Amino acid sequence: MLGLELVVVLGAAVLVGNVLGQRFRVAPPVVLLIVGALIGLVPAVRQTQLPPDVVLLLFLPVLLYWESLTTSMREIRTNLRGIVLLSTVLVILTAGAVAVAGHALGLPWGPAWALGAAVAPTDATAVSALAGALPRRQITVLRAESLVNDGTALVIYGLAVGITVGEEHLTLPHVGALFLLAYGGGAAVGVAVAWVNMNLRRRLDDPLLGNLVMILAPFTAYLLAELVHASGVLAVVVSGLIMAQVAPSLIRAEHRRQALAFWPLATFIINGALFVLVGVELQYALRHLSRSDLRDALIAIAAVGVVLVAVRFAFLSPPRT
């Protein structure tokens, strides 16, 4: 399908999906997934494939940066202990539980742990879609957790893949070094990018140039962190959180007004388009599965889903006295 046609189809799908979600009081991401699956029945759309690098390098930094810019640091400090436990201990426990379930279903341990690492962390874009359905404190904790738990998941995933192919070894110092690199390296890159961002924004009078720097910041943070094998996600988040704190006193009002007009619309379109494209990809994947493969896949999805919910409920439920 031609690029222009795809842009029109995606834009119309995002519009229709959100209107239907509001009309029938269904979470828009669910409707967008269904709309995407229906659009995938069109032969021209069916051939559309979304390269994984597009999500990681183009969509993800923008969405994470906006989420970090709109997250309250004061509320994060208030709930810091819970956020740290959720983004580290809960991710490890969830990945382990999913790995056990996957191994029981026939996966080798390496791929089972890789699957656990992929599904254990909560997703920032999915959390933002639930912002109006949960209390403010729960949304703050979930949002903060989703912004930093990818560092834990990436370490687990890297270890699982490395051990499977024989390139990694599982020792406490090595695992500790990987966590330190993921979190410490990502945070350091985020601080450095925020420092450069602040100094440039202080010197630029033109709102267009200032906001161009703002747009470049998440991509730069992600790229630099990936180059040193740190967490690109954490680098973007740290950079965004710092800028959120200094923006009121550092950035001119006309710069902020322009940014507030651009970012919500841009992230809304990107977020909606992602859910539509996932629906298209889902329909495409299902067409290439045999009946027995589809049955096995549905059983695996149900089992992993139950494990994910059960582990989170068990971790969050207070012990009875």
Side-chain angles (χ1 to χ4, degrees):
M1 172 174 280
L2 295 176
L4 183 58
E5 294 172 343
L6 182 61
V7 169
V8 173
V9 169
L10 285 177
V14 172
L15 176 62
V16 171
N18 279 277
V19 169
L20 291 176
Q22 294 175 6
R23 173 67 177 82
F24 296 103
R25 297 183 179 180
V26 179
V30 176
V31 181
L32 291 171
L33 286 171
I34 296 173
V35 170
L38 294 175
I39 292 175
L41 297 173
V42 179
V45 180
R46 189 182 306 153
Q47 304 305 317
T48 302
Q49 294 294 298
L50 183 63
D53 288 347
V54 172
V55 177
L56 290 176
L57 303 179
L58 185 60
F59 289 171
L60 186 61
V62 175
L63 296 173
L64 287 172
Y65 198 64
W66 176 246
E67 285 298 316
S68 60
L69 286 173
T70 54
T71 299
S72 170
M73 275 296 293
R74 183 178 64 181
E75 294 187 9
I76 289 178
R77 286 193 292 267
T78 303
N79 302 284
L80 184 60
R81 179 177 177 273
I83 292 169
V84 170
L85 290 175
L86 290 173
S87 60
T88 54
V89 177
L90 179 57
V91 173
I92 295 172
L93 291 177
T94 304
V98 171
V100 171
H103 186 66
L105 292 172
L107 282 177
W109 277 113
W113 272 100
L115 173 63
V119 300
T122 51
D123 178 67
T125 57
V127 171
S128 66
L130 299 173
L134 294 173
R136 179 185 177 91
R137 181 180 178 276
Q138 292 183 15
I139 284 295
T140 299
V141 173
L142 284 172
R143 180 176 289 171
E145 174 202 354
S146 67
L147 290 175
V148 298
N149 57 15
D150 285 279
T152 305
L154 287 172
V155 171
I156 299 173
Y157 181 82
L159 281 172
V161 174
I163 292 172
T164 301
V165 300
E167 296 180 355
E168 294 282 2
H169 55 283
L170 190 61
T171 63
L172 186 59
H174 181 63
V175 173
L178 290 177
F179 272 99
L180 181 61
L181 177 61
Y183 279 97
V189 170
V191 170
V193 171
W195 182 83
V196 174
N197 194 350
M198 286 186 291
N199 282 276
L200 288 175
R201 297 300 295 274
R202 188 180 290 115
R203 290 167 171 77
L204 292 173
D205 296 325
D206 189 338
L208 291 174
L209 295 178
N211 282 300
L212 176 58
V213 172
M214 184 180 184
I215 293 172
L216 288 173
F219 299 108
T220 304
Y222 198 96
L223 173 62
L224 293 177
E226 289 294 310
L227 289 176
V228 300
H229 304 290
S231 171
V233 170
L234 195 61
V236 174
V237 169
V238 169
S239 177
L241 289 174
I242 293 174
M243 291 306 299
Q245 294 302 299
V246 303
S249 59
L250 176 69
I251 300 175
R252 296 175 177 86
E254 58 268 26
H255 291 228
R256 296 200 304 271
R257 284 197 298 268
Q258 190 178 88
L260 289 174
F262 167 77
W263 281 89
L265 177 61
T267 53
F268 171 78
I269 295 172
I270 291 173
N271 205 0
L274 273 177
F275 282 110
V276 174
L277 287 170
V278 168
V280 173
E281 295 276 337
L282 177 63
Q283 193 275 148
Y284 177 84
L286 292 177
R287 292 178 63 87
H288 291 77
L289 291 177
S290 65
R291 183 171 299 179
S292 60
D293 290 337
L294 179 60
R295 183 197 62 229
D296 294 341
L298 291 176
I299 292 173
I301 291 171
V304 170
V306 169
V307 169
L308 289 173
V309 174
V311 171
R312 177 165 284 268
F313 268 99
F315 189 85
L316 295 177
S317 299
R320 294 183 178 180
T321 56

